[in-house]
Amino acid sequence: MNSQASPKILFNQQEIETAVKKLAAEITEDYQDKNPLLIGVLKGAFVFMADLIRLLDFHLEIEFIRLSSYGQGRITPGELKVEQGILSQIRDREVLIVEDIVDTGYSAAFLLDYLGKEKPASLKFCALTDKPSRRKVPVNIEYRGLTVPDKFLVGYGLDCDEKFRNLPYIGYLESRD
Ligand code: IMP
Ligand code: MG
């Protein structure tokens, strides 16, 4: 990898594992015997989702949903579209949205509103990381992993222009933001 672009480590593998285990314990407490539907938000949440579900020792189902903005850069309200529908599966299910990061909150607020219209039995939100300093709209995050500073994070699924998702740690890029 280009050393010039090496991110600074914010959370190493062990710190991430500890956070994921804690979330898995909380989710187990609330969802075992409920056969929940976990909906991962692509692409960023796929690494977290893969680690999380292997710590959940009860029946569950998974789906993925993808949001994309029409333009380049950060998502703003009105620029969201859902590319992959899973709406028919939601009614009367215990649904848990699984995200990599909540930044402005626009994506999370949109998803909660959008999926909530399909009448799930319950709808909650799990985020591995939370950047509260950037919040523009309030979001209820029932399962929160790591609170992070206002830096652009990469690794463990998180990308910068599609790069760095494969890093086993979460780091930040100093040149961005
Ligand atoms: P929000 O709608 O502003 O809360 O942003 C949510 C989405 O933006 C996340 O699911 C990420 O895909 C992306 N995002 C926000 N902050 C970061 C970051 O620091 N690194 C990588 N992606 C980010
Ligand atoms: Mg995301």
Side-chain angles (χ1 to χ4, degrees):
M1 190 178 290
N2 183 348
S3 61
Q4 230 185 329
S6 265
K8 293 245 178 345
I9 295 181
L10 188 60
F11 300 108
N12 63 29
Q13 282 174 267
Q14 205 179 343
E15 290 168 315
I16 296 170
E17 191 183 320
T18 302
V20 177
K21 275 186 180 157
K22 185 172 159 279
L23 290 169
E26 292 170 17
I27 291 167
T28 297
E29 175 112 11
D30 295 347
Y31 286 94
Q32 59 187 340
D33 308 320
K34 289 188 174 168
N35 188 27
L37 177 64
L38 273 60
I39 302 180
V41 185
L42 291 173
K43 300 176 190 173
F46 87 104
V47 177
F48 171 42
M49 180 85 141
D51 283 346
L52 178 69
I53 62 168
R54 283 177 289 176
L55 297 171
L56 302 178
D57 185 21
F58 53 86
H59 285 303
L60 58 83
E61 293 171 31
I62 65 164
E63 272 296 348
F64 288 95
I65 198 165
R66 183 159 184 186
L67 299 174
S68 65
S69 59
Y70 291 105
Q72 290 282 322
R74 294 189 188 280
I75 291 169
T76 57
E79 285 186 325
L80 291 166
K81 62 173 178 161
V82 173
E83 285 186 350
Q84 204 171 299
I86 39 116
L87 302 182
S88 60
Q89 297 179 54
I90 289 175
R91 184 177 282 261
D92 297 330
R93 296 293 303 272
E94 311 275 350
V95 177
L96 180 62
I97 302 170
V98 178
E99 253 288 29
D100 51 0
I101 189 163
V102 178
D103 187 45
T104 62
Y106 288 136
S107 306
F110 171 82
L111 278 173
L112 286 164
D113 179 59
Y114 187 81
L115 301 181
K117 287 184 179 137
E118 302 302 315
K119 300 191 167 50
S122 71
L123 180 61
K124 292 188 189 176
F125 205 93
C126 172
L128 177 62
T129 63
D130 180 20
K131 215 191 277 181
S133 56
R134 297 246 321 154
R135 198 73 89 250
K136 293 278 193 288
V137 289
V139 179
N140 235 356
I141 304 173
E142 283 85 0
Y143 307 96
R144 178 189 286 102
L146 302 157
T147 300
V148 300
D150 184 7
K151 293 186 184 300
F152 198 82
L153 306 185
V154 293
Y156 199 74
L158 289 156
D159 76 304
C160 178
D161 297 333
E162 297 302 326
K163 303 287 190 302
F164 302 111
R165 294 192 196 277
N166 53 320
L167 295 177
Y169 61 87
I170 294 174
Y172 61 92
L173 297 173
E174 287 192 302
S175 54
R176 185 141 172 173
D177 275 6

